[in-house]
Amino acid sequence: MRHQAEFVIRGAEVLDRKGRRRADILVSDGKIAAIGADLDASLPTHAADGLLATPGGVDPHAHIEQKSGMGLWNADTFETATRSAALGGTTSVISFAAQGKGERLRDVVADYSARAERGAMIDYAFHLSLSDPDAPHFDDDLRTLIAAGHRTVKVFTTYNIALNSDQIRHILSITGPAGALTCVHAEDDAILTEARNALIAEGKTEPKHHARARPRAAEAEAIKHICAMAEELSAPVMIFHVTCIEALDAVRAARQRGAPVFAETCTHYLFQTEDILDQGIDGAKWMCSPPQRNEADQVALWDGLKDGSLDLVSSDHAPYRYDETGKLRTGPNPPFPEIANGQPGLEVRQPLLFDSIVFKAKMPETAFANLTATRAAEIYNLPGKGVLEAGADADIVLWDPTRTYTYGADDLHDNVGYNPHEGRTVTGWPVHVFLRGHRIVSDSALTTQPGQGRWINRRPT
């Protein structure tokens, strides 16, 4: 990747978790060299008067060029997903290297690494998504990969890739001592099965019934169980996609006991309720798991972000087209159990949160950088990412705070074909994006190529 060796972003309003101040940003060899007033006037300049500078977004939960547990490839390649991410102000992403049954972990990582190296336009890391602890050389491969810089794994407690408690406990016994973090999709499978079967027996199989098929009790019970294991084994866990009051209460209770627990929520839970599913078969577009909840839960999630019970907001980008290749692969009017779960989110996460935090004052404006970049870089050990400070990577987003934009039906730059936030208007827009000092978005237009992203090695320093 070529970039100017040294230049100054001049006159921006720098906004990070430390506060807001007018400053110049000196970039040298892809790093931030200094932030201050009236920096070297002899250097090439990117004028940023009237713009806000924030750290490049860090999205630590996205499914890219991945086969689901249902055996369906999602719609995005690394090229299309990271193109979309960059245009939304995200410069680092953690996606999944997903193990299939019987597959060696080292082979899985090699395969996903080749895909990302070929297509990624922003920097990336992987969660090792584990589905078969009985695969050949599983323990040795897992330890070796963690030591090599793959510092997070993911396990499920539901779907056909679920692990049982003994298997999860075994994985925690490896990840904990190795200093790795285990991420968990936590829903109690027995509760889900009972709820789903009851609805099917009653003939209630539309997308709107999906929310009832995944009760909040399933989420809360699984979280309690995982947190107890993490506490017992002193093995840190990240609870993915917290959606509701009961789940948040379970996280808070575990943290109050001193359990090593982190937790996130996702954009769609903050901006959508389960009512969005009640649109006939079109409701399939918004189906995700766990499902959206209600307005009281949204208030609770924002409160959890304010008090630190929730650490960050991810996209859980899970892209499936609304056609026979994706959501409707089994026919034009499938029952909800046959509809792929997930929606696109990489491109909208940053603008939605910028609008809500900086302009609508859902939280202090300093929380924007923390929730979308800084905290994720800290938790997931992404060196040089998520901050605007000397020595960090020059991953910088310049926002036009006066620009408003209303999302359209199909205006995202991924490969999904619809925008789940159609009709929502945001204020504040990422007009210029720098990745390691290279401007990859200029005046809201992409200026980079596939393969320019780098793997982020997360070995402890």
Side-chain angles (χ1 to χ4, degrees):
M1 177 182 288
R2 296 178 180 178
H3 54 74
Q4 280 185 309
E6 202 165 31
F7 63 91
V8 175
I9 297 172
R10 198 172 301 283
E13 290 283 327
V14 176
L15 176 62
D16 58 17
R17 72 175 177 183
K18 299 174 187 175
R20 187 198 286 229
R21 68 273 190 201
R22 185 176 175 83
D24 299 339
I25 305 173
L26 173 60
V27 175
S28 180
D29 291 326
K31 300 284 187 180
I32 296 174
I35 300 177
D38 302 320
L39 298 180
D40 196 337
S42 68
L43 291 174
T45 293
H46 290 287
D49 295 287
L51 303 180
L52 271 66
T54 67
V58 177
D59 193 334
H61 185 171
H63 302 269
I64 302 174
E65 210 162 330
Q66 179 189 341
K67 185 183 289 187
S68 74
M70 301 168 75
L72 179 66
W73 283 97
N74 62 37
D76 271 325
T77 64
F78 276 93
E79 178 179 343
T80 61
T82 59
R83 173 182 68 199
S84 179
L87 287 161
T90 289
T91 55
S92 298
V93 65
I94 308 180
S95 62
F96 297 90
Q99 179 196 28
K101 294 295 183 182
E103 293 181 340
R104 281 200 66 170
L105 288 180
R106 69 174 189 185
D107 298 334
V108 171
V109 172
D111 180 38
Y112 277 90
S113 296
R115 298 181 208 173
E117 185 176 353
R118 187 167 55 241
M121 299 188 188
I122 64 174
D123 289 351
Y124 58 89
F126 298 112
H127 304 296
L128 310 180
S129 189
L130 310 178
S131 65
D132 188 4
D134 295 323
H137 308 287
F138 179 88
D139 289 8
D140 289 343
D141 282 358
L142 181 56
R143 291 189 175 96
T144 298
L145 289 165
I146 290 171
H150 299 281
R151 308 292 299 175
T152 46
V153 307
K154 181 184 183 181
V155 298
F156 289 81
T157 63
T158 187
Y159 298 125
N160 61 358
I161 51 174
L163 302 185
N164 62 41
S165 291
D166 288 343
Q167 291 171 319
I168 294 173
R169 183 182 297 274
H170 176 69
I171 288 167
L172 290 173
S173 75
I174 294 174
T175 58
L181 176 66
T182 300
C183 307
V184 187
H185 178 125
E187 292 179 283
D188 185 280
D189 193 61
I191 295 175
L192 297 183
T193 299
E194 182 179 0
R196 180 179 64 250
N197 289 346
L199 287 165
I200 293 172
E202 296 171 9
K204 296 177 178 178
T205 61
E206 296 179 52
K208 68 180 180 181
H209 298 118
H210 170 71
R212 289 177 55 191
R214 304 188 88 92
R216 57 184 62 225
E219 191 178 345
E221 286 305 307
I223 290 173
K224 290 175 186 176
H225 184 56
I226 290 295
C227 290
M229 280 198 282
E231 185 176 11
E232 176 191 349
L233 297 171
S234 298
V237 297
M238 164 64 76
I239 304 299
F240 272 166
H241 40 54
V242 172
T243 74
C244 63
I245 293 168
E246 294 85 348
L248 182 57
D249 286 345
V251 169
R252 284 195 175 114
R255 285 186 156 185
Q256 288 169 0
R257 297 194 308 268
V261 175
F262 302 97
E264 61 154 46
T265 191
C266 305
T267 327
H268 36 283
Y269 303 124
L270 297 173
F271 297 99
Q272 299 168 3
T273 62
E274 64 184 70
D275 295 340
I276 203 167
L277 301 176
D278 190 6
Q279 300 186 51
I281 190 58
D282 285 353
K285 294 179 182 179
W286 293 275
M287 279 180 53
C288 56
S289 292
Q292 303 89 337
R293 307 296 184 183
N294 60 40
E295 291 182 1
D297 294 304
Q298 289 180 324
V299 171
L301 295 177
W302 281 109
D303 287 342
L305 292 168
K306 290 175 187 175
D307 68 24
S309 300
L310 296 172
D311 293 282
L312 54 91
V313 182
S314 78
S315 70
D316 192 4
H317 178 78
Y320 298 98
R321 296 183 65 85
Y322 184 58
D323 61 22
E324 67 280 359
T325 70
K327 298 274 188 178
L328 308 181
R329 77 193 189 288
T330 64
N333 194 33
F336 70 78
E338 296 180 7
I339 297 172
N341 283 197
Q343 55 180 276
L346 269 168
E347 192 168 338
V348 298
R349 182 185 71 121
Q350 296 276 86
L352 288 172
L353 291 171
F354 190 91
D355 173 70
S356 292
I357 294 172
V358 177
F359 284 99
K360 294 187 172 68
K362 285 284 191 180
M363 300 177 69
E365 66 178 10
T366 52
F368 173 74
N370 195 46
L371 294 176
T372 63
T374 310
R375 192 70 181 120
E378 291 175 340
I379 292 170
Y380 292 105
N381 188 27
L382 304 175
K385 303 301 185 183
V387 292
L388 296 180
E389 60 185 35
D393 287 354
D395 296 350
I396 303 162
V397 182
L398 297 179
W399 296 80
D400 182 347
T402 68
R403 185 178 296 188
T404 62
Y405 183 79
T406 300
Y407 284 117
D410 182 16
D411 55 354
L412 302 181
H413 296 83
D414 51 34
N415 191 38
V416 184
Y418 71 93
N419 186 336
H421 298 277
E422 177 187 355
R424 185 179 294 273
T425 299
V426 294
T427 300
W429 197 251
V431 290
H432 305 293
V433 180
F434 296 83
L435 173 66
R436 289 180 272 109
H438 175 74
R439 184 150 56 169
I440 62 172
V441 173
S442 179
D443 293 321
S444 301
L446 195 71
T447 56
T448 189
Q449 298 293 325
Q452 300 302 305
R454 291 181 185 171
W455 175 59
I456 305 168
N457 190 322
R458 297 181 285 160
R459 283 180 293 195
T461 56

